Amino acid sequence: MGTVIVASYCAHLGLSSYGHGSKLQIIKKVKANTSTSSSVLKTKILRRKVLEQVDEKLAEGDERAALSLIKDLQGKPDGLRCFGAARQVPQRLYTLDELKLNGIETVSLLSPVDATLGSIERNLQIAAVLGGVAAWNAFGLGPQQVLYISLGFLFLWTVDAVTFNGGIGSLVLDTIGHAFSQKYHNRVIQHEAGHFLIAYLLGVLPRGYTLSSLEALKKEGSLNVQAGTSFVDYEFLEEANSGKVSATMLNRFSCIALAGVATEYLLYGFAEGGLADINKLDVLLKSLGFTQKKADSQVRWAVLNTILLLRRHEDARAKLADAMSAGWSVGDCIGVIEEVIDDADILFSSSDL
């Protein structure tokens, strides 16, 4: 009976069952496979428990404890292999021609124009004018009444611009965009997935994310907060407040800032969102005293590095976007990244340890 079972298993593996030695080899292989499966299962359980604790600490606002949990398992085969484990390009001065050789047109990437929301805004303005004319004719409004109504709308627009930094207008446009444009909805998701993935691979822990202005309003309770991905960045802030930001920290946040527009560029051939991200990076570089030449060099390296990382981890970004679209927690999203990325594609592969 035992021989029959061994023979059957050999046939399943495509092996011959001749000889006692072959039987022993097969039995050893079965035990090894069982041991490996058990080890993988234990790794997943351990990782899951740690990531649940990370979610709890982030929910409590204890960012230092959350980051400490991540770092305890950083780079370990049975832990979080991918955190801070990105294989990056050497940092040096790259020319525009070198970027073009890598299929990167910086004009399409670094000059985003939100055509979708721009079109929605123009249509709303046209609709408002037509609605005003229709109301004028329907209710017989006089010129003075029309003037008062116009001044009322102008006052509301001014209050929004001054008090909420245009938050109400942005909320309306963004909500309409998500409701009526599937392309816009998908673009926002992919954009934020790019930020999340690059941050994690470079060793910056995402703290949370929102995919719409309405979601941001519900979570933060403020119209001044727009959709986006936030990070555990106290280390960066401590360096910035001291007046000296290390090259490593600057490189991380340069790539994170450009990850959204880089993702859009790879998927659609150009970027629409992310102008605020580029402006923030520009302000940071100027505050650090960078000359235009030095700033251009930093941005070009960051663009190349980020694009190549996104290309290498395209599958991880796509699955991460699905998880974020479903509203998964930060810990669950990290779990997706760890599951998808192979050892060979990260710096701390098993052969490096």
Side-chain angles (χ1 to χ4, degrees), residues 70-317:
I70 294 290
K71 287 186 174 181
D72 284 344
L73 292 182
Q74 181 180 10
K76 296 179 180 179
D78 58 346
L80 300 173
R81 305 165 300 122
C82 302
F83 184 67
R87 291 186 179 274
Q88 305 184 64
V89 299
Q91 187 170 19
R92 61 174 178 80
L93 176 61
Y94 290 92
T95 65
L96 290 176
D97 288 336
E98 285 179 298
L99 266 60
K100 288 181 180 180
L101 288 174
N102 284 277
I104 302 171
E105 293 289 343
T106 54
V107 174
S108 299
L109 194 153
L110 296 175
S111 303
V113 177
D114 204 327
T116 303
L117 291 189
S119 176
I120 292 174
E121 185 174 17
R122 287 191 297 273
N123 290 335
L124 286 176
Q125 291 170 346
I126 293 172
V129 171
L130 294 176
V133 172
W136 187 359
N137 293 328
F139 300 104
L141 300 177
Q144 191 174 21
Q145 291 172 307
V146 173
L147 176 62
Y148 289 153
I149 293 173
S150 300
L151 289 175
F153 280 113
L154 180 61
F155 173 75
L156 292 175
W157 179 81
T158 303
V159 170
D160 176 40
V162 174
T163 306
F164 303 111
N165 196 28
I168 295 176
S170 298
L171 174 63
V172 172
L173 289 174
D174 183 72
T175 302
I176 294 174
H178 281 284
F180 294 99
S181 174
Q182 188 63 41
K183 181 180 179 181
Y184 174 78
H185 178 72
N186 292 338
R187 180 168 62 80
V188 172
I189 295 171
Q190 299 295 342
H191 182 107
E192 297 308 326
H195 282 306
F196 192 116
L197 177 63
I198 293 301
Y200 185 75
L201 290 174
L202 294 179
V204 176
L205 176 63
R207 177 165 56 86
Y209 65 90
T210 54
L211 301 179
S212 70
S213 295
L214 182 59
E215 185 183 357
L217 175 61
K218 291 177 180 177
K219 284 187 176 182
E220 305 293 338
S222 173
L223 285 168
N224 289 323
V225 180
Q226 301 299 312
T229 304
S230 57
F231 307 97
V232 175
D233 56 359
Y234 66 85
E235 294 175 322
F236 171 76
L237 293 176
E238 288 173 355
E239 290 191 10
N241 291 334
S242 70
K244 186 176 181 181
V245 178
S246 66
T248 299
M249 195 67 71
L250 178 61
N251 290 345
R252 288 175 181 173
F253 280 89
S254 296
C255 293
I256 293 169
L258 297 174
V261 292
T263 300
E264 290 190 40
Y265 175 76
L266 288 175
L267 291 175
Y268 308 108
F270 59 92
E272 288 193 12
L275 181 60
D277 298 329
I278 295 173
N279 289 338
K280 288 177 182 177
L281 178 58
D282 185 53
V283 169
L284 173 62
L285 296 177
K286 287 181 179 178
S287 69
L288 294 174
F290 276 41
T291 63
Q292 188 60 51
K293 182 178 180 180
K294 189 175 180 181
D296 288 343
S297 175
Q298 177 71 25
V299 170
R300 288 173 189 174
W301 171 83
V303 165
L304 179 61
N305 192 51
T306 304
I307 287 286
L308 294 181
L309 284 173
L310 288 168
R311 284 174 178 167
R312 181 180 299 129
H313 302 294
E314 180 181 4
D315 191 34
R317 191 265 313 148

Side-chain angles (χ1 to χ4, degrees), residues 8-26:
S8 175
Y9 194 83
C10 289
H12 175 71
L13 294 175
L15 300 172
S16 170
S17 61
Y18 296 134
H20 180 67
S22 297
K23 293 178 184 178
L24 290 177
Q25 290 178 357
I26 293 167

